Amino acid sequence: MAKQSIAEQYVDLLARAGVQRVYGVVGDSLNPVVDAIRRHDALDWIQVRHEEVAAFAAGAEAQLTGRLAACAGSCGPGNLHLINGLFDAHRSMAPVLALAAQIPSGEIGTGYFQETHPDRLFEECSHYSELISSPRQMPRVVQTAIQHAVGRRGVSVVALSGDVADEEAPSEGTELAIPLDLPAIRPADHELSRLREMVDAAEKVTLFCGRGVAGAHAEVMAFAEKIKAPVGHALRGKEHIQYDNPYDVGMSGLLGYGAAHEAMHEADLLILLGTDFPYSNFLPRHVKTVQVDVQPERLGRRTSLDLAVWGDVRETLTCLTPVVREKQSRRFLDRMLHRHVHALEKAVGAYTHDVERLSPIHPEHVASVLDEEAADDAVFTVDTGMCCVWAARYLTPNGRRRILGSFVHGSMANALPQAIGAQFLDRGRQVVSLSGDGGFSMLMGDFLTAVQYGLPVKVVVFNNSSLGMVDLEMMVDGLPPHGTGYPHTDYAAIATAAGARGIRVEAAADVRGALREAFAHDGPVLVDVVTDRDALAIPPKTSVEQISGFALSASRTVLAGGVGRMMHLARTNLRNIPRP
């Protein structure tokens, strides 16, 4: 049997860990590994135009499957380009293994051409970052890297010089010991007992849910029913908790809507379930607060807690719900549900009244129609900025749809790369990128990757010729927007020139037809929708200073958006309120 090279052993370990493809841009220091992938039956090399896209695509794969995904960059500038996407993957708890190729091993430390130190550079965005400088480190360093990425849910980085990759691997191997399933972490008995006492003593309890409620929808609903609690959510909790939820009061935070803010602030007890909600100014300061989280380092780092509970949400509620006393009064819950409907009704007219005659097109209308026309199991990827607002307020989850974005790292240009990763994972599943023109143009070159591989990604560009969220930030501070505008660009024409289907939409009456045409096409499509630059959104609660800032800087601004089919859900919840 022929001996393996280090590169071949690395690739074999990836395949044994379940990796199916490696995203990257080839280069001299990476050549031995790329060639090993070429010769391996179980792995594909995915050629992207920019390494940042490689990391975002791998992160999207990992978020959708929970399994290890991989990317790679050549030495120096090549692997440096990975860093933004790796930061996003790491902060999204996506298990990704990145290969950072290194300059020739004998030149490290001499200021050689393209020299950097990736094992140091990637420390902040990884659980594990290590240089393989000797064949004797294989395969243990790679196994350790995989275990860190999968077990701790985040990024691992392996730096490897091209000359070392060409060397012969040690003959003694080792079996991969990869944790495949996350353990169930149950809180300590005294924490559960204290939490039960606090719930029983409170007259008004509100639940606020984040990404950590994934897989615990039934348990949250059973708990909310027993204690008659309104249920709000953060953006990352939306897809996991909003559907089939008769206790839904919307979302709080910068992109929020509905009555979540009031429900949190008027409660006697606020229970934060699986959320590392970063905006402490939206959290109440004088309400008793409990946080339940599987990662203990997150407990209490956003707000003062009356009780910190270390455990995963599903296991905690499985233990807690049977022992809490059932509350008889629905007064607080029903009041919040009515307030939620009222809040939505005030905003919903922004896109429903004579909308097809409005010009330019309201982005709210585009998002609402997109929500109606997209598949029930679609994967939506969402650019940071105003696209996050429209996704938060209009995309309706149902337990099968997925919504990905740079919701923690907050990077521009994430949507197209994440859509590429999601579509490679499943070519038969509808994948829709909600892209701002600013974000799309930043990494526009990788639309060519979708064309090259025939990926049926549907890119909807909200083309308002501006950085809309930055406009909003400046206006809140009382500043006139500056440096945020772009020249009018026909992105549909660019897509057509690239060999894809490009559709330009300039009239609201054409939005639905354009989306149907895009979804019916078996290949990449870019729908370029010219939208209103002045359609901005502000949080559900604003300060006097913020309102003054708007007054100073704007004479015409849409201050709120509707909420699509969530209006129907909220009204349905009201109809289901028991009558005395």
Side-chain angles (χ1 to χ4, degrees):
M1 181 176 175
K3 296 272 190 174
Q4 279 188 317
S5 69
I6 294 295
E8 290 168 335
Q9 189 175 72
Y10 178 84
V11 171
D12 188 53
L13 288 169
L14 288 186
R16 288 162 62 188
V19 174
Q20 296 179 318
R21 59 194 64 82
V22 180
Y23 300 89
V25 178
V26 71
D28 55 356
S29 55
L30 200 54
N31 289 347
V33 174
V34 175
D35 186 64
I37 294 172
R38 178 184 64 82
R39 291 181 281 107
H40 200 287
D41 292 337
L43 261 73
D44 290 322
W45 174 258
I46 305 301
Q47 176 189 3
V48 298
R49 268 59 177 181
H50 195 295
E51 289 91 349
E52 183 176 346
V53 172
F56 270 121
E61 261 203 42
Q63 289 183 70
L64 289 170
T65 66
R67 301 193 304 268
L68 186 70
C71 58
S74 59
C75 63
N79 63 61
L80 277 177
H81 285 157
L82 294 170
I83 197 164
N84 193 51
L86 291 183
F87 258 104
D88 184 80
H90 193 58
R91 301 185 74 182
S92 300
M93 298 179 64
V96 171
L97 177 60
L99 178 63
Q102 180 57 298
I103 64 171
S105 58
E107 301 293 345
I108 296 174
T110 68
Y112 190 74
F113 175 66
Q114 293 189 324
E115 181 174 2
T116 61
H117 295 87
D119 50 314
R120 304 178 201 169
L121 285 166
F122 291 99
E123 282 185 353
E124 191 175 349
C125 63
S126 67
H127 291 304
Y128 183 85
S129 183
E130 192 56 71
L131 169 69
I132 296 177
S133 56
S134 165
R136 292 189 298 275
Q137 293 173 267
M138 285 289 286
R140 289 179 299 160
V141 165
V142 176
Q143 175 173 331
T144 302
I146 293 172
Q147 288 171 325
H148 274 77
V150 175
R152 297 184 64 183
R153 319 305 288 177
V155 170
S156 285
V157 179
V158 172
L160 177 66
S161 295
D163 60 302
V164 176
D166 264 334
E167 293 189 36
E168 187 176 294
S171 56
E172 65 277 6
T174 182
E175 289 298 319
L176 282 173
I178 302 174
L180 298 178
D181 298 309
L182 293 177
I185 299 180
R186 179 190 183 279
D189 287 342
H190 72 275
E191 288 182 353
L192 281 170
S193 178
R194 176 65 182 135
L195 179 53
R196 176 187 59 79
E197 292 172 357
M198 294 178 71
V199 173
D200 286 347
E203 180 182 347
K204 301 176 293 183
V205 182
T206 292
L207 309 181
F208 186 69
C209 303
R211 178 183 176 274
V213 300
H217 185 277
E219 287 75 12
V220 176
M221 294 301 101
F223 184 55
E225 166 60 27
K226 191 166 187 181
I227 65 170
K228 310 300 184 288
V231 179
H233 61 268
L235 179 55
R236 296 184 79 204
K238 174 185 173 72
E239 63 177 328
H240 303 297
I241 205 65
Q242 190 184 34
Y243 68 96
D244 295 338
N245 181 357
Y247 318 106
D248 177 50
V249 291
M251 192 172 91
S252 188
L254 293 170
L255 313 182
Y257 58 85
H261 186 274
E262 289 86 349
M264 294 165 69
H265 284 74
E266 295 181 24
D268 299 325
L269 177 65
L270 172 63
I271 303 179
L272 306 173
L273 294 175
T275 179
D276 192 33
F277 186 69
Y279 306 109
S280 57
N281 53 322
F282 284 92
L283 295 172
R285 297 181 181 179
H286 305 295
V287 174
K288 286 187 177 180
T289 302
V290 173
Q291 185 178 0
V292 179
D293 206 291
V294 73
Q295 294 188 287
E297 70 274 13
R298 294 181 171 180
L299 295 170
R301 72 178 181 181
R302 306 301 185 193
T303 188
S304 298
L305 300 180
D306 295 274
L307 179 65
V309 179
W310 182 12
D312 65 65
V313 172
R314 184 175 183 177
E315 189 71 15
T316 300
L317 295 185
T318 297
C319 297
L320 180 64
T321 302
V323 299
V324 296
R325 187 165 53 246
E326 183 168 4
K327 298 189 186 299
Q328 302 304 313
S329 173
R330 288 179 54 104
R331 184 178 303 170
F332 177 61
L333 170 60
D334 292 347
R335 181 159 57 87
M336 290 301 112
L337 291 175
H338 277 97
R339 191 172 296 181
H340 182 55
V341 169
H342 179 66
L344 301 192
E345 285 177 335
K346 286 174 60 181
V348 77
Y351 75 92
T352 57
H353 181 63
D354 293 332
V355 66
E356 294 194 350
R357 294 202 296 268
L358 292 177
S359 180
I361 302 169
H362 279 206
E364 303 97 325
H365 172 61
V366 180
S368 178
V369 175
L370 176 59
D371 179 54
E372 294 169 0
E373 296 294 333
D376 287 342
D377 66 343
V379 177
F380 299 96
T381 62
V382 183
D383 260 344
T384 298
M386 297 308 295
C387 285
C388 274
V389 178
W390 315 135
R393 296 182 176 183
Y394 292 90
L395 296 184
T396 307
N398 58 12
R400 299 172 62 202
R401 288 176 164 181
R402 296 299 309 274
I403 304 174
L404 302 182
S406 186
F407 298 140
V408 181
H409 187 49
S411 173
M412 282 182 65
N414 60 283
L416 173 63
Q418 288 178 326
I420 288 171
Q423 197 72 84
F424 266 115
L425 186 63
D426 186 350
R427 286 177 176 265
R429 190 174 186 181
Q430 189 180 90
V431 177
V432 185
S433 170
L434 279 71
S435 298
D437 55 328
F440 177 75
S441 61
M442 183 177 283
L443 289 175
M444 183 169 56
D446 266 278
F447 187 72
L448 298 174
T449 299
V451 175
Q452 175 182 342
Y453 289 97
L455 297 176
V457 171
K458 315 307 177 192
V459 179
V460 181
V461 177
F462 288 70
N463 186 356
N464 64 357
S465 299
S466 74
L467 297 173
M469 185 61 78
V470 184
D471 276 349
L472 178 63
E473 293 165 352
M474 288 183 165
M475 293 166 75
V476 165
D477 288 337
L479 303 173
H482 181 72
T484 60
Y486 291 120
H488 292 292
T489 302
D490 189 337
Y491 293 104
I494 294 173
T496 301
R501 176 73 64 85
I503 305 172
R504 177 85 164 178
V505 183
E506 298 180 342
D510 297 333
V511 170
R512 192 177 302 273
L515 292 175
R516 287 179 177 177
E517 180 184 345
F519 292 147
H521 182 68
D522 185 22
V525 181
L526 187 146
V527 182
D528 181 14
V529 187
V530 180
T531 59
D532 188 356
R533 175 171 179 165
D534 291 326
L536 303 175
I538 60 173
K541 290 294 179 181
T542 56
S543 67
V544 173
E545 291 79 9
Q546 289 173 327
I547 295 298
S548 298
F550 275 97
L552 286 171
S553 63
S555 60
R556 185 170 73 90
T557 304
V558 178
L559 296 181
V563 286
R565 283 185 281 174
M566 285 181 279
M567 186 71 250
H568 172 73
L569 174 63
R571 286 174 174 155
T572 299
N573 290 342
L574 279 191
R575 289 197 296 271
N576 292 334
I577 292 176
R579 301 300 179 189

